[in-house]
C-alpha cells in the first residue's frame, strides 16, 4: 500500500435487498402458505372452543354414582321447556314451574343419604329498588314474585349460594336462558345430597322466578330471606346464548381464592379476565344477578354463562332442539366440581378477611388454566415487556459483533411506526367501509355467514398493513449496512415487540388485567429469540424463520381464539343492539384489532418476499370479488329462518295498543288504537316498510302527534332503556285489542302538607305487568313517594323529563295497595296542575287478546323474523 493511501474499511457494504438472487428472498406463494398457517391455527382454536365432553346417561350411574349425569338433568330441562314461555306472573312460571321444583325436591328429599339434611322453602316476596341500565334510571317494583330455595345443610351455617332463574322472556322457551342452569343445579343437589359426608359449609340453591324482569327475585332473596345473612360467596349460572361452553366472566370482586378454587377443581376450564372487563364496558346489552348479590348483598361470587349461538338468545329458538346433552355435561361437571371446592374451602368462612387484589386468569384452549394476582401481573408484564425488546437486541447485536446497533434500532423504530400507522389506517379503512355499506343499505351482510367477515374486513385490513410495510421497506431502505435481509427482518421484529410492550404496559398501568393477552404475544416472541440465540440461528438463511414460525403458530392459535370468540359474541349482539352504533363498524373494528394481534409478527416477513405486491393483489381481489356477492346475491342477506341449521332472525316486538286520554277531573276525553313496532337492529325499519306498511300511516314515534302533547309520547314502554336504543314506529289500528283487565292507579284525592308540598293519594290495583310514568309540571318537583325511601333520578325522553316505575306482579293478590306522591311547588300560590301521569298495562303471552286485525298483521312478517307480540293499555291523566 502506497504511503498516504486511504485505509479501506474491512466491512463490505452492499444493498442486499436489490440482489436478484438474494437467498433470503422467497416467492409470493410462500405468503399464501403463511395465510394457510393462520387458517390452520384458527381451525385448532375453533375446535377447542366448541369441543364438548361425551354426556353420561342413567346407564352410567352405577359406575359413576358421585358424578353429574347429563341425561337426568336433560329430563328436568324437558319438563320446564314443555311449559313454553314462562314469563313472571303467568301460570306457566308461578304455578307449573314451581310445581316441578316441588316434585323434584321431594324426590331428592326421599333419596338423600341419611347423613344429609335438605330443607326446602317457597319464598313469595315483595320489594322495590332503584335500577340503572345503560345510564337509564328507573324504580323497579315487584309484588309476590317467587323463589324456590333449597338448603343442603353443612357442618357450618356459613353458606355458598348457587343461583339460576327459571322465568323466561316472552315468546321464548328459555331452554338455555336459563332453565338449563336450573336443571344442572337440581342434578348437583341430587348428587351431593347422596354423599355420606356433609360439606364443611352449607349450600343454598336459589331457583329464582323473576330475573328477566330486571333481576327482581334475586333482590327479594338477598335483601329479605333469613338465610341470606349466612351466605359468604355465590356461583351464578347464566346464559347469553344457546349452548357451548360456559365461560367464567366475572369473579370477586377482589377474591383471588375463588379463582384458585376454580383452577384446582374445574375439569374443563374456560375463563378469561378479559371477558369480565369487556362485560363492564357495557358493550354487551345484558346483566345478571351477579350485580344484585354484589351490590345489595355485598357478597363476592363467580358468574358463568354460555354465549355461543347468541342468535337464539331471547327468541323462540332457545329450545331443546338446539341444545345437547354434552352442553349439560360440560356445565354440570364444572359446576359440580366448583361447588364442592368452594363449599369445602377454608376460605369461605373467612371471606371477609380474604380481600386483596383482583385475579388475572385465563385458559389456553381449555387445557391449561393460569391465574395469579394483579400485583404479580404487573411484575410479569413489565419483565416480559422489557426482556422482549432487550434480549432480541442483544442477540442480534452479538451476531453482528456489536457493529450495527444503530441499524438494528433504526429498523426496529421503522417497524414500530409501520405497525402503529398500519393499525390506525386499518381502523380508518373499516370505518369508511362501514359507512359505505350503510350508504348502500347493505349492513350486516355477514350476520348469518360469518365467513364473509374475512373477505369484507380481514382482507382489506391485511392489504392496508401490507402496503404500509411495503412503503416503509421502500422509503426507508438503507444501502450502507452489513445486516442481511434476514437480520433486518429480525430487527423489525424488535419493533413489533416495542409496539406490544407499549400496549401491554399502558393497560397494566391503567389497571386493566387484560394486558396478559399482549404479554403472551411478547413471551412467545421472546422464547423464539432465545431459541434462535441458543442455536446460533440469527445468521442462517431459513432456520431462524422456521423457529420463528413454530413459536408464532402458538401466537396465532392464541390470537385466533380471541377472533373467534369476539365474532361469535358480537355478531349476534348486533342483532339486538339497536341503532346506537353502525354494526359494520363494530365488527370491522373488532376484526382490525384481531388481525394486527394475530399477524403482527408475520408482517415483517414481507421483507423476505419477492414481489410482495402479488400478495396484496390476492387480498384485494378477495375483497373486490366479495362486494358484488354480498350486495346482489342471497349470500349477503343477513337473516335465516328455521329451515337453516342455525336460524338467525331479525327481532321485533309488536304491541297492539289501546290508549285512553283523560281530562283534569278524570273523565275520558278520547281513545285511539295502534300498533307499536320495536325493531332491535338497524335493518328493522326497512323490513317494516317493505312487508308491513309503506303508506303514511306508518311513522317513527317521534313524528306522532301525541309526542307533542303527552308525557313520553303516551307510548306503552315497559323497559325505558330499550326506548333509548331501539327504533320505534307507530301505525294506527282500526280496532282495539280485546283486553279484559288492566292495572289501575285510582286517584283518591290530595292533601296539603305545607305551603310548598302537596301529597296525592292513589290506590293501585291489579296483578299484571305494568308501568307508571310521572311527569311533574314546570315549577313542580317530585320529592317523595311511598314506593320507597328515595326517589330514583328522572329520565329524559322526547325532551321530556319524568320518572319511570317498572312493576312486576307474580302471584295474584286481590288486595289493592296505597301509593302516595309528594310534590314540592316553587310558588305557594300555585293552583294549576301538578303532574302528568301515564299508567301502562302490558299483557305478555295473552294470545286470546289478539284480535283478527292483530293476527293478520303478525302473519305479514316474513319467516326469518322473530316477532314477540303483546297487548297494552295506556291511560294518561293530568292532576
Amino acid at each position: 500500500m502506497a504511503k498516504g493511501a486511504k485505509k479501506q474499511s474491512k466491512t463490505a457494504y452492499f444493498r442486499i435487498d436489490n440482489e436478484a438472487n438474494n437467498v433470503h428472498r422467497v416467492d409470493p406463494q410462500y405468503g399464501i402458505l403463511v395465510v394457510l398457517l393462520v387458517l390452520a391455527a384458527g381451525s385448532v382454536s375453533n375446535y377447542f372452543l366448541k369441543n364438548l365432553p361425551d354426556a353420561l346417561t342413567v346407564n352410567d350411574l352405577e359406575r359413576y354414582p358421585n358424578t353429574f349425569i347429563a341425561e337426568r338433568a336433560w329430563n328436568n330441562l324437558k319438563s320446564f321447556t314443555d311449559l313454553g314461555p314462562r314469563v313472571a306472573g303467568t301460570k306457566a312460571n308461578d304455578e307449573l314451574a314451581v310445581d316441578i321444583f316441588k316434585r323434584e325436591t321431594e324426590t331428592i328429599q326421599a333419596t338423600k343419604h341419611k347423613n344429609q339434611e335438605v330443607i326446602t322453602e317457597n319464598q313469595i316476596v315483595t320489594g322495590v329498588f332503584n335500577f340503572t341500565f345503560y345510564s337509564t334510571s328507573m324504580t323497579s317494583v315487584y309484588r309476590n314474585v317467587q323463589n324456590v330455595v333449597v338448603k343442603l345443610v353443612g357442618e357450618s351455617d356459613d353458606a355458598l349460594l348457587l343461583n339460576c332463574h327459571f322465568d323466561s322472556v316472552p315468546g321464548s322457551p328459555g331452554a338455555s336462558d336459563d332453565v338449563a342452569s336450573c336443571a344442572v343445579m337440581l342434578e348437583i343437589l341430587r348428587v351431593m345430597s347422596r354423599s355420606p359426608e356433609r360439606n364443611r359449609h352449607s349450600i343454598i340453591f336459589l331457583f329464582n322466578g323473576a330475573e328477566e324482569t330486571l333481576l327482581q327475585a334475586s333482590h327479594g332473596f338477598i335483601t329479605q330471606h333469613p338465610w341470606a345473612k349466612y351466605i359468604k360467596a355465590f356461583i351464578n349460572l347464566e346464559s347469553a346464548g344457546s349452548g357451548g361452553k360456559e365461560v367464567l366472566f366475572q369473579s370477586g370482586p377482589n377474591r383471588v381464592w375463588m379463582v384458585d378454587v376454580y383452577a384446582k377443581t374445574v375439569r374443563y376450564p374456560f375463563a378469561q379476565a378479559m371477558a369480565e372487563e369487556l362485560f363492564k364496558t357495557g358493550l354487551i346489552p345484558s346483566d345478571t344477578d351477579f350485580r344484585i348479590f354484589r351490590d345489595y348483598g355485598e357478597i363476592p361470587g363467580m358468574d358463568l354463562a354460555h354465549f355461543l349461538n347468541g342468535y337464539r338468545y331471547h327468541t323462540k329458538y332457545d329450545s331443546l332442539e338446539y341444545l345437547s346433552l354434552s352442553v349439560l355435561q360440560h356445565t354440570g361437571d364444572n359446576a359440580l366440581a366448583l361447588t364442592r371446592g368452594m363449599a369445602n374451602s377454608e376460605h369461605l368462612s373467612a371471606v371477609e378477611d380474604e380481600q386483596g387484589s383482583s385475579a388475572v386468569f385465563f385458559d389456553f384452549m381449555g387445557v391449561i388454566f393460569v391465574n395469579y394476582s394483579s400485583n404479580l401481573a404487573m411484575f410479569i408484564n413489565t419483565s416480559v415487556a422489557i426482556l422482549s425488546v432487550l434480549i432480541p437486541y442483544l442477540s442480534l447485536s452479538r451476531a453482528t459483533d456489536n457493529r450495527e446497533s444503530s441499524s438494528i434500532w433504526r429498523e426496529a423504530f421503522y417497524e414500530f411506526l409501520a405497525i402503529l400507522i398500519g393499525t390506525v389506517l386499518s381502523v380508518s379503512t373499516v370505518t369508511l367501509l362501514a359507512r359505505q355499506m350503510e350508504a348502500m343499505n347493505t349492513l350486516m351482510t355477514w350476520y348469518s355467514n360469518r365467513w364473509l367477515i374475512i373477505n369484507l374486513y380481514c382482507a382489506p385490513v391485511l392489504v392496508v398493513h401490507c402496503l404500509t410495510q411495503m412503503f416503509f421497506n421502500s422509503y426507508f431502505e438503507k444501502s450502507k449496512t452489513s445486516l442481511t435481509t434476514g437480520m433486518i427482518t429480525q430487527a423489525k421484529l424488535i419493533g413489533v415487540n416495542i409496539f406490544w410492550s407499549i400496549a401491554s404496559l399502558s393497560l397494566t398501568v391503567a389497571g386493566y388485567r387484560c394486558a396478559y393477552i399482549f404479554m403472551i404475544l411478547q413471551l412467545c416472541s421472546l422464547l423464539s429469540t432465545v431459541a434462535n440465540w441458543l442455536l446460533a440461528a440469527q445468521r442462517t438463511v431459513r432456520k431462524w424463520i422456521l423457529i420463528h414460525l413454530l413459536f408464532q403458530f402458538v401466537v396465532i392459535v392464541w390470537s385466533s381464539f380471541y377472533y373467534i370468540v369476539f365474532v361469535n359474541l358480537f355478531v349476534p349482539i348486533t342483532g339486538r343492539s339497536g341503532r346506537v352504533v353502525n354494526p359494520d363498524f363494530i365488527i370491522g373494528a373488532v376484526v382490525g384489532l384481531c388481525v394486527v394481534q394475530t399477524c403482527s409478527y408475520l408482517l415483517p416477513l414481507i421483507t423476505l418476499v419477492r414481489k410482495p405486491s402479488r400478495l396484496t393483489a390476492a387480498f384485494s381481489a378477495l375483497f373486490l370479488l366479495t362486494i358484488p356477492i354480498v350486495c346482489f346475491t342471497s349470500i349477503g342477506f343477513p337473516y335465516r329462518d328455521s329451515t337453516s341449521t342455525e336460524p338467525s332472525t331479525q327481532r321485533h316486538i309488536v304491541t297492539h295498543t289501546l290508549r285512553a286520554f283523560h281530562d283534569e277531573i278524570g273523565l275520558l276525553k278520547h281513545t285511539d288504537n295502534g300498533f307499536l313496532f320495536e325493531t332491535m337492529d338497524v335493518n328493522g325499519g326497512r323490513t317494516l316498510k317493505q312487508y308491513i306498511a309503506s303508506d303514511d300511516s306508518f311513522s317513527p314515534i317521534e313524528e306522532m302527534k301525541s309526542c307533542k302533547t303527552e308525557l313520553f309520547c303516551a307510548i306503552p314502554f315497559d323497559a325505558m332503556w330499550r326506548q333509548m336504543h331501539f327504533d320505534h314506529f307507530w301505525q294506527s289500528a282500526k280496532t282495539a285489542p280485546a283486553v279484559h283487565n288492566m292495572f289501575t292507579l285510582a286517584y283518591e284525592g290530595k292533601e296539603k302538607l305545607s305551603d310548598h308540598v302537596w301529597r296525592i293519594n292513589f290506590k293501585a290495583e291489579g296483578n299484571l305487568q305494568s308501568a307508571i310514568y310521572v311527569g311533574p309540571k314546570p315549577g313542580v318537583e317530585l320529592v317523595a313517594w311511598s314506593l320507597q325511601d328515595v326517589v330514583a333520578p328522572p329520565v329524559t325522553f322526547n325532551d321530556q323529563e319524568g320518572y319511570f316505575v317498572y312493576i312486576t306482579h307474580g302471584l295474584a293478590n286481590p288486595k289493592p295497595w296505597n301509593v302516595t306522591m309528594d310534590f314540592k311547588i316553587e310558588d305557594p300560590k300555585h293552583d294549576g296542575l301538578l303532574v302528568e301521569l301515564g299508567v301502562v298495562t302490558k299483557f305478555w303471552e295473552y294470545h286470546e287478546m289478539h284480535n283478527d286485525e292483530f293476527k293478520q298483521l303478525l302473519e305479514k312478517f316474513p319467516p326469518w323474523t322473530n316477532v314477540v307480540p303483546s297487548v297494552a293499555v295506556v291511560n294518561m291523566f293530568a292532576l
Side-chain angles (χ1 to χ4, degrees):
M1 179 180 297
K3 185 177 180 180
K6 186 175 181 180
K7 186 176 181 180
Q8 299 296 316
S9 172
K10 294 182 180 180
T11 303
Y13 294 99
F14 50 88
R15 293 192 65 183
I16 200 163
D17 285 345
N18 290 338
E19 292 184 3
N21 61 345
N22 187 340
V23 293
H24 290 272
R25 294 284 187 169
V26 296
D27 292 329
Q29 290 81 351
Y30 284 94
I32 304 299
L33 291 178
V34 173
V35 173
L36 294 177
L37 177 69
V38 173
L39 294 177
S43 299
V44 172
S45 297
N46 190 60
Y47 170 79
F48 280 103
L49 177 64
K50 298 182 179 180
N51 183 45
L52 295 170
D54 294 333
L56 297 180
T57 68
V58 291
N59 295 328
D60 299 307
L61 184 57
E62 187 174 345
R63 289 185 297 163
Y64 306 106
N66 298 316
T67 303
F68 186 92
I69 304 295
E71 187 178 21
R72 292 196 298 193
W74 182 270
N75 293 335
N76 288 148
L77 174 58
K78 186 178 186 305
S79 297
F80 287 112
T81 56
D82 284 347
L83 301 177
R86 300 168 308 283
V87 180
T90 62
K91 180 178 180 180
N93 188 72
D94 289 273
E95 294 183 30
L96 302 181
V98 171
D99 286 343
I100 293 175
F101 283 113
K102 290 179 179 178
R103 181 193 71 203
E104 293 302 317
T105 54
E106 286 173 1
T107 302
I108 291 172
Q109 184 75 256
T111 58
K112 68 178 179 63
H113 193 276
K114 63 180 182 180
N115 294 339
Q116 299 289 352
E117 182 181 0
V118 178
I119 305 173
T120 303
E121 287 193 2
N122 184 25
Q123 183 192 26
I124 301 173
V125 63
T126 295
V128 60
F129 63 102
N130 288 343
F131 187 84
T132 301
F133 192 58
Y134 273 85
S135 301
T136 303
S137 175
M138 65 187 74
T139 299
S140 179
V141 178
Y142 54 93
R143 296 181 60 79
N144 297 330
V145 300
Q146 289 196 87
N147 290 312
V148 178
V149 191
V150 184
K151 183 176 184 180
L152 182 62
V153 179
E155 295 176 355
S156 167
D157 287 335
D158 291 340
L160 170 71
L161 173 70
L162 264 69
N163 177 69
C164 70
H165 68 89
F166 58 89
D167 66 318
S168 73
V169 295
S172 175
S176 183
D177 182 27
D178 185 40
V179 283
S181 298
C182 293
V184 166
M185 283 173 49
L186 281 172
E187 177 62 10
I188 291 173
L189 174 60
R190 183 181 289 111
V191 172
M192 299 190 74
S193 68
R194 295 182 179 181
S195 173
E197 296 182 359
R198 285 198 179 190
N199 298 291
R200 175 181 290 193
H201 304 101
S202 298
I203 305 174
I204 296 174
F205 296 79
L206 173 59
F207 305 95
N208 88 65
E211 188 270 354
E212 298 294 359
T213 55
L214 306 182
L215 318 178
Q216 292 172 324
S218 58
H219 179 270
F221 171 79
I222 206 64
T223 58
Q224 299 184 46
H225 199 285
W227 290 348
K229 62 184 178 182
Y230 298 109
I231 296 172
K232 302 299 181 181
F234 68 89
I235 299 172
N236 185 49
L237 300 179
E238 255 291 0
S239 181
S242 177
K245 298 179 177 181
E246 78 291 338
V247 60
L248 171 61
F249 70 100
Q250 291 195 92
S251 68
N254 302 330
R255 299 299 196 281
V256 176
W257 71 269
M258 292 184 177
V259 182
D260 289 337
V261 173
Y262 183 94
K264 294 174 182 177
T265 60
V266 167
R267 185 175 181 181
Y268 312 109
F270 185 33
Q272 295 284 334
M274 173 274 301
E276 180 173 343
E277 294 181 332
L278 179 64
F279 189 77
K280 290 179 179 179
T281 63
L283 293 174
I284 301 174
S286 299
D287 213 335
T288 76
D289 289 317
F290 182 100
R291 169 181 178 176
I292 298 297
F293 299 137
R294 178 196 63 200
D295 295 349
Y296 290 92
E298 298 182 349
I299 303 168
M302 308 184 84
D303 216 352
L304 297 95
H306 302 94
F307 73 92
L308 291 182
N309 304 313
Y311 300 112
R312 301 194 280 271
Y313 172 69
H314 283 188
T315 72
K316 59 187 175 183
Y317 297 111
D318 184 10
S319 62
L320 280 184
E321 181 182 355
Y322 298 100
L323 280 179
S324 68
L325 285 165
S326 295
V327 171
L328 297 186
Q329 191 67 54
H330 185 280
T331 302
D333 284 344
N334 283 349
L336 176 58
L338 184 58
T339 301
R340 281 174 172 158
M342 292 188 67
N344 291 286
S345 172
E346 61 182 9
H347 297 277
L348 189 70
S349 292
V351 70
E352 291 86 357
D353 302 324
E354 295 290 342
Q355 297 190 37
S357 64
S358 54
V360 175
F361 55 90
F362 56 89
D363 72 287
F364 184 76
M365 301 299 106
V367 178
I368 301 172
F369 184 76
V370 179
N371 67 295
Y372 45 87
S373 70
S374 55
N375 292 332
L376 180 58
M378 180 170 291
F379 171 77
I380 293 174
N381 295 346
T382 303
S383 300
V384 172
I386 295 173
L387 293 175
S388 66
V389 174
L390 182 61
I391 298 300
Y393 165 72
L394 294 175
S395 172
L396 199 55
S397 180
R398 177 167 295 186
T400 60
D401 297 328
N402 299 318
R403 289 196 296 264
E404 290 293 335
S405 294
S406 59
S407 297
I408 294 171
W409 286 119
R410 181 178 63 244
E411 297 295 342
F413 177 69
Y414 289 159
E415 182 59 27
F416 165 76
L417 290 179
I419 294 292
L420 178 61
I421 294 174
T423 300
V424 173
L425 291 178
S426 63
V427 173
S428 301
T429 299
V430 298
T431 301
L432 292 174
L433 288 174
R435 289 181 177 177
Q436 187 60 38
M437 298 301 280
E438 183 176 19
M440 296 166 59
N441 285 325
T442 52
L443 290 173
M444 298 174 64
T445 56
W446 32 259
Y447 189 65
S448 293
N449 293 319
R450 293 189 295 268
W451 57 269
L452 286 173
I453 296 173
I454 296 176
N455 301 28
L456 281 175
Y457 290 107
C458 289
V461 166
L462 284 171
V463 168
V464 169
H465 276 290
C466 289
L467 290 176
T468 305
Q469 293 286 329
M470 292 164 60
F471 170 79
F472 271 81
N473 287 344
S474 174
Y475 191 81
F476 295 106
E477 186 179 44
K478 294 292 182 178
S479 59
K480 292 185 178 182
T481 179
S482 62
L483 297 176
T484 65
T485 305
M487 297 172 77
I488 289 175
T489 305
Q490 293 174 63
K492 289 178 180 295
L493 292 173
I494 300 176
V496 180
N497 281 325
I498 294 174
F499 177 83
W500 290 120
S501 292
I502 293 175
S504 176
L505 292 178
S506 298
L507 290 173
T508 301
V509 171
Y512 291 100
R513 292 170 291 156
C514 63
Y516 67 84
I517 298 175
F518 305 143
M519 181 273 293
I520 295 296
L521 309 182
Q522 300 166 276
L523 181 61
C524 288
S525 177
L526 176 60
L527 295 175
S528 172
T529 299
V530 172
N532 272 313
W533 194 350
L534 295 177
L535 297 174
Q538 299 97 323
R539 289 179 172 271
T540 60
V541 177
R542 298 287 187 268
K543 189 175 181 180
W544 77 268
I545 299 178
L546 177 61
I547 295 173
H548 175 70
L549 291 179
L550 286 175
F551 280 92
Q552 280 306 297
F553 184 79
V554 178
V555 168
I556 300 169
V557 169
W558 170 259
S559 299
S560 61
F561 164 81
Y562 291 101
Y563 170 83
I564 294 170
V565 166
F566 287 153
V567 166
N568 277 278
L569 176 64
F570 282 109
V571 168
I573 282 177
T574 60
R576 53 187 176 92
S577 292
R579 64 175 186 266
V580 178
V581 182
N582 182 324
D584 275 61
F585 170 73
I586 295 174
I587 299 303
V590 167
V591 165
L593 296 175
C594 287
V595 165
V596 70
Q597 178 186 336
T598 304
C599 300
S600 58
Y601 287 94
L602 301 177
L603 291 172
L605 301 184
I606 290 177
T607 306
L608 306 177
V609 178
R610 296 191 186 98
K611 298 181 180 179
S613 57
R614 293 183 180 179
L615 192 61
T616 58
F619 293 138
S620 299
L622 182 65
F623 166 72
L624 294 174
L625 289 173
T626 303
I627 291 295
I629 291 175
V630 300
C631 292
F632 304 111
T633 73
S634 60
I635 294 176
F637 184 71
Y639 312 103
R640 300 291 183 268
D641 58 24
S642 59
T643 61
S644 169
T645 56
E646 285 195 11
S648 47
T649 57
Q650 186 181 80
R651 301 165 184 250
H652 296 265
I653 299 175
V654 184
T655 305
H656 192 183
T657 306
L658 166 64
R659 302 195 301 173
F661 301 89
H662 304 263
D663 61 18
E664 290 84 351
I665 60 175
L667 298 178
L668 181 65
K669 293 191 299 183
H670 66 90
T671 64
D672 65 13
N673 312 298
F675 299 108
L676 176 66
F677 301 89
E678 183 175 299
T679 63
M680 300 180 72
D681 76 22
V682 295
N683 294 322
R686 192 164 71 249
T687 298
L688 295 178
K689 293 177 182 178
Q690 181 178 355
Y691 291 91
I692 308 304
S694 57
D695 55 25
D696 294 337
S697 65
F698 179 79
S699 63
I701 61 170
E702 293 83 0
E703 299 177 10
M704 295 172 59
K705 293 181 179 179
S706 61
C707 280
K708 299 178 181 178
T709 59
E710 303 294 338
L711 177 63
F712 296 162
C713 301
I715 291 298
F717 295 153
D718 66 291
M720 184 60 76
W721 72 269
R722 293 210 306 260
Q723 279 61 50
M724 307 297 185
H725 290 77
F726 299 157
D727 284 322
H728 292 77
F729 302 88
W730 180 264
Q731 183 184 39
S732 296
K734 298 178 181 178
T735 59
V739 297
H740 51 66
N741 193 5
M742 70 180 70
F743 173 78
T744 61
L745 189 69
Y747 173 67
E748 299 239 308
K750 63 180 180 180
E751 55 184 306
K752 190 174 184 180
L753 301 184
S754 69
D755 288 342
H756 291 274
V757 179
W758 282 87
R759 171 171 291 174
I760 302 181
N761 299 291
F762 302 94
K763 181 172 288 185
E765 193 168 6
N767 296 284
L768 297 161
Q769 309 308 310
S770 46
I772 301 174
Y773 312 153
V774 182
K777 289 292 187 177
V780 181
E781 179 186 359
L782 176 65
V783 293
W785 54 12
S786 62
L787 296 176
Q788 61 174 339
D789 294 337
V790 296
V791 177
V795 295
T796 301
F797 178 78
N798 189 40
D799 296 325
Q800 297 170 312
E801 190 175 87
Y803 300 87
F804 182 81
V805 182
Y806 176 89
I807 307 174
T808 296
H809 293 270
L811 291 175
N813 185 348
K815 295 182 180 180
W817 43 294
N818 296 319
V819 177
T820 64
M821 299 182 189
D822 297 346
F823 296 93
K824 181 179 180 180
I825 55 176
E826 294 179 1
D827 184 359
K829 297 180 180 181
H830 179 96
D831 60 355
L833 297 174
L834 296 177
V835 62
E836 290 182 79
L837 288 176
V839 181
V840 178
T841 308
K842 204 68 174 282
F843 301 89
W844 299 108
E845 301 298 327
Y846 284 79
H847 298 281
E848 69 276 9
M849 294 184 179
H850 299 179
N851 62 18
D852 291 340
E853 184 183 11
F854 194 21
K855 291 176 182 178
Q856 292 171 7
L857 175 73
L858 297 175
E859 289 174 355
K860 292 181 180 180
F861 280 89
W864 39 263
T865 58
N866 183 85
V867 182
V868 180
S870 64
V871 171
V873 178
V874 180
N875 283 283
M876 301 300 298
F877 303 89
L879 300 172

